[in-house]
Every structure is written in C-alpha cells, then in structure tokens.
Amino acid sequence: MKIKEVRELDNKALAEKLEMAETALHQMKLNHAISPLENPSQIKATRRDIARMKTELRQRELNK
C-alpha cells in the first residue's frame, strides 16, 4: 500500500485496514515460524504498511 492510497482513506477505513494488516502480520509470523513462507519479504512489506498507516493516523490526530 502506497502513502498516496493511505492518505485517500478516511479515518474509519484507515483504522479498519490497520487492524486487518496487524492481524495478517501476526498470522504470517506464526506461519513462518512453523514452515517458511514462499516470500518472507511479505512480512517486511506488511510491517512497513502498518507503519505508514499509523504515521498517517498520528499526523491527522496532531493536525486537529
């Protein structure tokens, strides 16, 4: 997810996407611990997407 896509979402949709991404990250980590993922860089990409979403939410909070 690109920063442009994150900025286009409203707060509610962004919070929902963030929750889904965190759940997906947790599930990927568990699956990777049991048997290696085909593409372990997905974990890194998901972690960065979560950081982008959290950053945007925080900036919106501070700008209010």
Side-chain angles (χ1 to χ4, degrees), residues 33-60:
I34 294 170
S35 64
L37 294 175
E38 287 183 28
N39 187 3
S41 64
Q42 288 176 332
I43 294 172
K44 181 179 174 182
T46 304
R47 213 175 57 234
R48 288 182 177 180
D49 287 342
I50 290 170
R52 283 187 196 101
M53 288 185 254
K54 285 184 176 182
T55 300
E56 182 62 26
L57 281 174
R58 181 68 178 148
Q59 285 178 346
R60 290 179 186 183

